[in-house]
Amino acid sequence: MTKTTELRQETVENILKRLRRIEGQVRGLQKMVAEGRPCDEVLTQMTATKKAMEAAATLILEEFLNICAAEVSEGKVDPKKPGEIATMLKKFI
């Protein structure tokens, strides 16, 4: 299984930056609910948070697929790789 330690440092930093932003969005959501803000405002913010999570997941998936492609081109094909790719795609979709 590919580990996040195998991702490029630039990608890891970008993902962490996005996750910290998402963490702030979630704290904001908690505050909105506690304050009794209108449901449409809360749901709008939840949608934005969900999209941000999807964007972070896309970065991980893209990097993972790049790693797999590099391994194939270098002739380092692990027979478990296709299953690993399928499992990751199922989680993402």
Side-chain angles (χ1 to χ4, degrees), residues 21-31 45 49:
R21 191 176 312 127
I22 292 164
E23 182 180 22
Q25 287 176 304
V26 171
R27 278 196 301 277
L29 278 164
Q30 291 170 344
K31 184 178 177 184
Q45 186 60 32
T49 303

Side-chain angles (χ1 to χ4, degrees), residues 37-82:
R37 300 280 291 272
C39 293
D40 65 325
E41 290 180 19
V42 174
L43 290 172
T44 298
Q45 186 60 32
M46 283 183 166
T47 300
T49 303
K50 179 182 173 185
K51 294 285 185 192
M53 285 293 291
E54 289 171 356
T58 298
L59 286 176
I60 293 173
L61 183 59
E62 286 176 0
E63 188 77 9
F64 170 73
L65 292 174
N66 284 331
I67 291 168
C68 291
E71 290 174 358
V72 167
S73 69
E74 294 169 2
K76 302 177 191 174
V77 181
D78 180 350
K80 296 178 185 175
K81 231 15 144 179

